[in-house]
Amino acid sequence: MPNPFLIDPNEDTLRKMDKMFIPVRDDRFMYGLQQKEWSIEGVHSFISKLRISYDYTNKEYQRILRLKDTYNLDYPSDHKKYFSTVVELLSKMRCTLSSYKTIIDDFRKKAKRGKKSTKRAKAYDNSPLFTGPYSVDIFGWETYDKSVKDMMKELNDYLKLAGDCLDTCIDIIDEEKAIQSDPDLACPRYDNSFKRSVKANKKLIEVMDESNVRIDNDLVKAIENAEDVRQLIASLFHEINNTDFNYFCACKTISDARKMGLTDDELMAFGKENAEKAFRLRILLDHILELAEQRDDVIGWKNMLAGKFVMHVLFWCGWDGSKNETMLKCISTRCQGIIGVVQMGAVMTERRKLVNIENSEIKEQQNAFNQDMDAFVDSFLDENPLNSN
């Protein structure tokens, strides 16, 4: 297969090519026909070649459309580990570009034997189908077989599809640039990717923290010392591969937790914005036996914290009701040596029972529980500051 990178793989080339993948006008097409002697067999052969190229290009177009839906969603990107976005996209158009060059070459006047050009051939900017002087065929379509007109239609169908490929590639690049220049677009992608990375790499974070590893990550330092963190985050969109981003997220989580006095689990469960709730949960759990003396719903089966009570505590902490054990782990860890805590299965069993209760009643019960927990915690605040370990 011919190498499509006989063209310069840069954005200017891509945009220039996009302007050339346009329908061919009748007069230029007929002028292109004059550049070589076409037989009816040659026309039919060319049409067959066009149809094969169209099928290949259509497959590449579908892949690029799928890529468009996902390429700019995640903050890190392995696509740019070795190549630029342009090269990545041109690679996915390999068959299209190779076919295009071969097809357009059929309409270019052949160089004389032995004469070599000092310039690299660029099918997209020196074809008589699109550029340069040309003469109008005074006889028009009258002198051509119907198959020739069919050939032009097949050619234009192919050019339109190839142009759609390039349009989509440019859309991807333009969206990427827009994200890199707009913190409002980049930061939500950063936050979402950060949360997914932390969730997927809990074990790594735990091992690093338990090993008391020294955080020495250049990106962590850059973000912590940046004058405009949001702008820095935007400018780094797609400039970090997944492996480096995952390590950064682990380092950043540990660093943030240490600075705020949170454990890694607490930071993952609550986030920096809800650190106060994590500290309030500590106070509640440190005095859980005193609370059990005041309430009969705290202790359940086998003298462990009751599943229903734990469920209400999780909701008090801002739980979304999903089977996410990070917040429950914060409770279990804090209660270690004081009282046992049920597993997530017992909590989810109580969660499912709520479907049999009216929403208004559920809300009323949880609000009453929240008020009781807040009052209980507030009674200890003077002796136990919020950032106490």
Side-chain angles (χ1 to χ4, degrees):
M1 180 181 294
N3 185 355
F5 296 127
L6 288 175
I7 62 172
D8 296 323
N10 57 53
E11 187 178 339
D12 287 342
T13 296
L14 191 65
R15 293 185 184 277
K16 187 174 183 179
M17 289 170 60
D18 186 50
K19 295 178 181 178
M20 304 312 300
F21 278 71
I22 57 176
V24 179
R25 297 204 315 264
D26 289 23
D27 51 359
R28 277 199 173 274
F29 178 76
M30 285 183 277
Y31 176 74
L33 291 175
Q34 299 169 13
Q35 305 309 300
K36 80 176 224 180
E37 295 180 1
W38 286 82
S39 64
I40 293 299
E41 291 77 12
V43 169
H44 287 296
S45 175
F46 185 80
I47 290 175
S48 297
K49 182 168 62 175
L50 273 172
R51 289 173 178 170
I52 293 171
S53 297
Y54 185 95
D55 288 341
Y56 277 122
T57 297
N58 189 44
K59 290 176 182 178
E60 291 184 335
Y61 181 48
Q62 298 306 317
R63 286 197 292 268
I64 292 172
L65 283 178
R66 290 193 294 272
L67 183 68
K68 182 181 179 182
D69 291 336
T70 59
Y71 189 80
N72 288 317
L73 288 181
D74 292 333
Y75 185 82
S77 174
D78 284 336
H79 292 283
K80 298 177 71 172
K81 187 173 183 179
Y82 303 108
F83 302 114
S84 67
T85 297
V86 173
V87 173
E88 174 72 21
L89 295 173
L90 288 177
S91 295
K92 295 185 182 302
M93 289 186 62
R94 185 173 293 274
C95 290
T96 299
L97 297 177
S98 296
S99 298
Y100 176 76
K101 184 178 185 303
T102 302
I103 289 168
I104 301 307
D105 275 346
D106 283 334
F107 289 89
R108 187 188 298 117
K109 183 178 290 188
K110 303 303 179 184
K112 294 180 180 181
R113 181 174 295 180
K115 185 177 180 181
K116 293 185 178 180
S117 173
T118 57
K119 294 183 178 180
R120 211 160 38 170
K122 295 182 179 179
Y124 57 86
D125 69 2
N126 63 356
S127 169
L129 292 178
F130 305 111
T131 61
Y134 71 100
S135 59
V136 177
D137 190 326
I138 61 174
F139 295 104
W141 288 108
E142 298 175 8
T143 59
Y144 293 102
D145 186 84
K146 179 181 178 297
S147 60
V148 177
K149 198 164 188 176
D150 291 340
M151 180 170 72
M152 191 184 85
K153 180 183 180 304
E154 298 271 0
L155 175 61
N156 280 337
D157 288 345
Y158 166 77
L159 288 172
K160 181 182 182 305
L161 181 63
D164 289 342
C165 275
L166 283 165
D167 287 341
T168 306
C169 289
I170 290 173
D171 286 345
I172 292 172
I173 292 171
D174 287 344
E175 182 182 34
E176 183 182 55
K177 283 186 170 183
I179 295 169
Q180 289 172 336
S181 63
D182 188 346
D184 288 338
L185 295 175
C187 289
R189 288 168 169 80
Y190 167 84
D191 292 338
N192 290 336
S193 294
F194 191 101
K195 290 175 183 176
R196 288 198 302 272
S197 175
V198 168
K199 183 177 180 180
N201 293 283
K202 289 180 183 177
K203 293 298 182 183
L204 170 64
I205 294 172
E206 290 175 1
V207 170
M208 289 176 63
D209 190 40
E210 289 171 0
S211 302
N212 200 29
V213 65
R214 179 172 175 267
I215 301 302
D216 189 20
N217 183 275
D218 290 340
L219 185 53
V220 171
K221 293 178 182 177
I223 287 182
E224 290 179 348
N225 297 325
E227 292 184 7
D228 190 336
V229 174
R230 285 169 52 82
Q231 191 59 57
L232 176 61
I233 288 174
S235 67
L236 291 175
F237 176 74
H238 273 184
E239 297 299 326
I240 308 168
N241 64 47
N242 278 280
T243 299
D244 291 343
F245 184 74
N246 288 336
Y247 182 67
F248 155 74
C249 291
C251 291
K252 187 75 166 66
T253 299
I254 295 171
S255 176
D256 287 347
R258 290 173 180 174
K259 287 182 177 181
M260 299 182 67
L262 295 174
T263 67
D264 294 333
D265 287 333
E266 287 172 337
L267 186 61
M268 287 186 279
F270 294 94
K272 292 187 291 185
E273 64 278 8
N274 294 312
E276 181 179 344
K277 179 60 75 173
F279 295 132
R280 291 178 69 84
L281 176 63
R282 287 182 184 178
I283 296 173
L284 174 69
L285 298 176
D286 288 347
H287 297 275
I288 194 68
L289 296 182
E290 296 168 64
L291 181 65
E293 294 176 358
Q294 302 175 21
R295 299 174 62 101
D296 58 10
D297 63 340
V298 177
I299 306 298
W301 184 63
K302 289 189 176 181
N303 289 321
M304 302 174 72
L305 291 184
K308 186 175 181 179
F309 174 79
V310 174
M311 177 192 70
H312 283 300
V313 170
L314 290 175
F315 279 127
W316 174 66
C317 290
W319 183 47
D320 62 4
S322 64
K323 194 175 180 179
N324 186 334
E325 300 194 10
T326 306
M327 198 172 285
L328 180 62
K329 187 178 178 183
C330 294
I331 297 176
S332 300
T333 301
R334 195 72 182 183
C335 286
Q336 192 169 1
I338 301 175
I339 191 171
V341 181
V342 295
Q343 299 295 314
M344 179 55 79
V347 178
M348 295 306 293
T349 296
E350 296 297 332
R351 173 75 176 85
R352 287 190 288 271
K353 291 179 182 179
L354 297 179
V355 299
N356 300 317
I357 306 175
E358 292 290 334
N359 288 337
S360 58
E361 184 177 347
I362 294 173
K363 186 176 181 179
E364 183 178 339
Q365 289 178 2
Q366 188 63 47
N367 285 340
F369 183 89
N370 292 349
Q371 291 174 8
D372 289 346
M373 295 306 104
D374 285 335
F376 181 77
V377 170
D378 288 343
S379 67
F380 292 96
L381 280 179
D382 289 340
E383 60 185 81
N384 196 343
L386 278 181
N387 64 349
S388 171
N389 289 317

